């Protein structure tokens, strides 16, 4: 069952090669979440895969973990560029209520 959940999560993540650069802030933030966050979450936290339909509801938690506590991205495996951090922060600050 665990492997089925992981497989389903992997299938739901947009592959980097097919991702296009979106024009809007939400699309840009989603691209960061999919290409930087989901690569670890799919292995370590498959119930917390970020998608367009759940990113707004998770905005407060994402902001807190990335910008307040500095806990994510975890370890040295993935780094956010300054541009990715600004993109994500801009969208999150506009969407946390």
């Amino acid at each position: 069952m665990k492997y089925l959940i992981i497989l389903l999560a992997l299938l739901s993540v947009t592959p980097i090669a097919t991702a296009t650069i979106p024009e809007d802030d939400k699309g840009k933030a989603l691209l960061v979440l999919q290409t930087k966050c989901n690569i670890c979450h799919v292995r370590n936290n498959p119930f917390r895969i970020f998608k367009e339909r759940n990113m707004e509801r998770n905005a407060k938690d994402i902001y807190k973990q990335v910008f307040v506590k500095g806990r994510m991205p975890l370890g040295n495996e993935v780094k956010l560029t300054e541009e990715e951090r600004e993109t994500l922060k801009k969208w999150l600050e506009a969407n946390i209520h």
Side-chain angles (χ1 to χ4, degrees):
M1 182 66 163
K2 177 181 175 183
Y3 295 110
L4 177 61
I5 292 169
I6 292 172
L7 177 62
L8 291 173
L10 281 170
L11 292 173
S12 70
V13 176
T14 303
I16 295 171
T18 62
T20 58
I21 299 175
E23 297 292 323
D24 63 320
D25 290 339
K26 181 177 182 177
K28 290 177 183 177
L30 179 60
L31 185 60
V32 173
L33 292 171
Q34 289 177 328
T35 59
K36 295 296 180 109
C37 304
N38 284 351
I39 61 172
C40 286
H41 280 234
V42 79
R43 287 189 319 264
N44 301 325
N45 194 357
F47 295 104
R48 191 63 96 128
I49 302 297
F50 300 113
K51 301 175 187 170
E52 187 173 7
R53 69 176 180 259
N54 71 6
M55 64 188 282
E56 289 177 16
R57 123 176 118 237
N58 290 309
K60 274 186 185 177
D61 290 337
I62 296 167
Y63 185 85
K64 184 167 64 172
Q65 293 300 321
V66 175
F67 297 103
V68 176
K69 294 184 175 184
R71 294 182 62 198
M72 295 290 155
L74 187 61
N76 293 321
E77 190 172 334
V78 175
K79 299 280 186 204
L80 295 177
T81 66
E82 191 59 36
E83 182 179 355
E84 291 166 333
R85 289 182 66 78
E86 288 304 313
T87 296
L88 191 57
K89 188 173 188 177
K90 180 181 177 184
W91 183 82
L92 288 168
E93 286 178 342
N95 287 280
I96 52 178
H97 310 257

